[in-house]
Amino acid sequence: GCRGRRVPRRRCAGRAGEMVAVKVIFSITPEGKPVSASVVSSSARCFNPAAQRAVYDMRFSPRTVDGVPALETGKTVTIQFVR
């Protein structure tokens, strides 16, 4: 869900179906923070900014190379908004 997040205005949301899915691609810094998030696909474009904000609010365990945290690119997640 998107509890506590700003979602698109009613007019946009009203045109969307029962569920909206937005696939976002991003990188994860050695600190576990997502960066460079961009939308890959979306069933309702007006939800894209909310999905990107949701990704930026997430935290991850960074990948490690020889025991050292490293940048990881090409990660994807699908954010779903359900009525």
Side-chain angles (χ1 to χ4, degrees):
C2 52
R3 182 178 43 138
R5 305 205 192 290
R6 290 180 302 179
V7 296
R9 296 191 173 169
R10 277 180 216 240
R11 186 172 60 189
C12 168
R15 285 183 267 141
E18 290 296 311
M19 187 199 67
V20 171
V22 181
K23 185 175 183 180
V24 180
I25 189 168
F26 57 97
S27 298
I28 300 171
T29 68
E31 295 78 28
K33 296 179 181 180
V35 293
S36 304
S38 61
V39 173
V40 175
S41 63
S42 177
S43 58
R45 269 190 352 207
C46 58
F47 282 78
N48 293 0
Q52 286 177 293
R53 283 192 302 272
V55 169
Y56 285 124
D57 285 344
M58 296 177 180
R59 292 297 171 260
F60 298 87
S61 296
R63 117 184 147 117
T64 57
V65 177
D66 297 325
V68 178
L71 179 69
E72 185 172 0
T73 60
K75 296 300 287 183
T76 61
V77 66
T78 300
I79 306 294
Q80 295 181 343
F81 298 88
V82 181
R83 284 187 209 254

